[in-house]
Amino acid sequence: MPRQLGELEDAVMTRVWQWNRAVTVREVLEDLQRERSIAYTTVMTVLDNLHQKGWVRREVEGRAYRYTAVSTRAAYSAALMNEAWAQSDNPAAALVAFFGMMSPDQREALDDAVRIVQRGNPEASAVPPPAAPAPAESAEPAAPAASGESGEPAEGDEGNAESGR
């Protein structure tokens, strides 16, 4: 089960998830610098740590790495919720308490998620179904492909291409 990301790890991963493409340390740095003073080496270290933890994969491009998310923000959030729920000594009571904390919008999102799961395809869509009942379709939309890669560094991948070493 994943550990919750630290504040800076989350800030970096948020950009990787939002951009949904391979990113460089420089790109993340420049975006983070709009909010805070931060050094290139700090962002490089955070991305290296995220790689070592399996959150991003990286490929060498020239003298730098390009980093890509291994899974989605939704999958990360779901794993955290599952871990928290599993640690309860009374899972049913934990769910009742959690549902009681939800806003109306969150309850609506939960209803949408339950409908998707009941149709038999929990990863079918992050978009809620249409408000009006639609005629039955012949097939569900394809689920996003899950990454078969573990995100673990390949043997000999310990080098630091960012600094040219």
Side-chain angles (χ1 to χ4, degrees), residues 16 19 21-27 47 51 56-69 161-162:
V16 175
W19 296 338
R21 61 176 172 76
V23 301
T24 63
V25 170
R26 177 81 44 211
E27 291 173 308
L47 278 163
H51 175 255
V56 294
R57 71 178 58 88
R58 66 185 180 194
E59 294 180 19
V60 176
E61 183 177 285
R63 292 182 55 199
Y65 284 119
R66 284 202 164 269
Y67 295 87
T68 309
E162 289 288 345

Side-chain angles (χ1 to χ4, degrees), residues 3-156:
R3 267 192 23 226
Q4 185 169 358
L5 295 172
E7 186 259 330
L8 188 52
E9 289 174 326
D10 185 70
V12 169
M13 281 305 301
T14 293
R15 281 143 180 90
V16 175
W17 281 320
Q18 284 176 342
W19 296 338
N20 196 29
R21 61 176 172 76
V23 301
T24 63
V25 170
R26 177 81 44 211
E27 291 173 308
V28 175
L29 170 73
E30 289 172 357
D31 199 59
L32 283 171
Q33 285 179 330
R34 296 174 200 213
E35 300 171 1
R36 64 177 86 193
S37 176
I38 190 166
Y40 181 94
T41 54
T42 301
V43 177
M44 182 177 65
T45 299
V46 169
L47 278 163
D48 184 61
N49 290 343
L50 289 166
H51 175 255
Q52 297 300 323
K53 292 177 180 182
W55 287 106
V56 294
R57 71 178 58 88
R58 66 185 180 194
E59 294 180 19
V60 176
E61 183 177 285
R63 292 182 55 199
Y65 284 119
R66 284 202 164 269
Y67 295 87
T68 309
V70 170
S71 67
T72 64
R73 162 82 77 185
Y76 165 69
S77 297
L80 289 177
M81 288 187 286
N82 188 55
E83 182 178 344
W85 183 48
Q87 291 179 11
S88 173
D89 60 349
N90 187 341
L95 282 175
V96 169
F98 179 64
F99 295 156
M101 294 178 202
M102 293 177 129
S103 70
D105 287 346
Q106 290 170 323
R107 285 193 197 103
E108 187 176 330
L110 176 64
D111 290 342
D112 292 340
V114 168
R115 278 193 291 277
I116 290 168
V117 170
Q118 287 173 337
R119 285 190 275 164
N121 196 353
E123 296 180 44
S125 174
V127 178
E137 295 181 20
S138 60
E140 287 288 326
S147 172
E149 298 181 32
S150 68
E152 292 297 315
E155 201 165 317

